[in-house]
Amino acid sequence: MQAIKAEQIYLAQDTEQLQRCFAVIRQLRPHLSWETFLPQVQRQQVAGYRLAYLEAHGSICGVAGFRLLESLSSGKFLYVDDLVIDAEQRSRGYGAALLDWLIAYARTEGCCSLELDSSVQRAEAHRFYFRQRLHISGYHFSLSLE
């Protein structure tokens, strides 16, 4: 397996890059259409959301949406909203490379930690996170207001 280089990971900055990322992120967020995704990501970018993508062999293989946040409980941290590797590209080291890139990015931004939530049914993702040294540090509770 070929080692992934940090130079293969970029921040999506324009509509063309976001469009290239959309097919992969839709695998994690199937409820999104391009028409809803683009304006929502653009609004979120104004508020600090960033979308990183890993490109190999001319294709987007993985995407990570994240924000830099600060709280009284965690200090400054990088929160991963979205992390997905293309279904056809899994088990090639792309997930580990993208997560390593996020960790390095967090460190350069002075973050104390990297945090993410993962839906309870995503057992394969959980195994991956455990292999990458992440641990369960709490519960996430929610209440639908619709």
Side-chain angles (χ1 to χ4, degrees):
M1 175 171 28
Q2 179 184 5
I4 311 306
K5 299 176 185 163
E7 302 87 52
Q8 294 173 264
I9 300 175
Y10 310 93
L11 289 174
Q13 310 251 343
D14 59 34
T15 302
E16 180 184 339
Q17 292 167 328
L18 291 171
Q19 189 168 27
R20 293 185 64 222
C21 293
F22 177 68
V24 176
I25 203 146
R26 192 155 191 266
Q27 293 175 33
L28 179 65
R29 310 285 183 223
H31 64 282
L32 295 173
S33 67
W34 171 247
E35 293 75 27
T36 59
F37 172 77
L38 181 63
Q40 183 171 349
V41 167
Q42 290 173 329
R43 280 192 312 274
Q44 289 178 208
Q45 284 177 320
V46 170
Y49 179 82
R50 294 165 173 96
L51 194 65
Y53 63 94
L54 187 152
E55 184 171 3
H57 312 292
S59 297
I60 304 293
C61 298
V63 177
F66 65 97
R67 298 172 282 150
L68 299 175
L69 300 173
E70 191 168 7
S71 71
L72 294 175
S73 61
S74 297
K76 187 174 180 182
F77 64 99
L78 186 146
Y79 183 81
V80 180
D81 290 278
D82 315 288
L83 179 59
V84 60
I85 302 304
D86 179 71
E88 301 295 318
Q89 303 295 330
R90 293 187 184 142
S91 299
R92 297 182 183 182
Y94 297 140
L98 199 47
L99 191 58
D100 286 346
W101 184 90
L102 289 166
I103 292 166
Y105 190 95
R107 285 185 172 131
T108 64
E109 293 293 327
C111 294
C112 299
S113 64
L114 176 142
E115 299 184 14
L116 60 82
D117 290 324
S118 182
S119 299
V120 295
Q121 78 278 5
R122 298 191 63 225
E124 286 184 43
H126 302 160
R127 282 192 291 278
F128 168 74
Y129 297 140
F130 288 135
R131 282 194 312 271
Q132 300 305 311
R133 306 173 320 275
L134 279 73
H135 67 277
I136 298 172
S137 60
Y139 292 103
H140 176 91
F141 293 93
S142 66
L143 173 66
S144 177
L145 302 177
E146 294 179 10

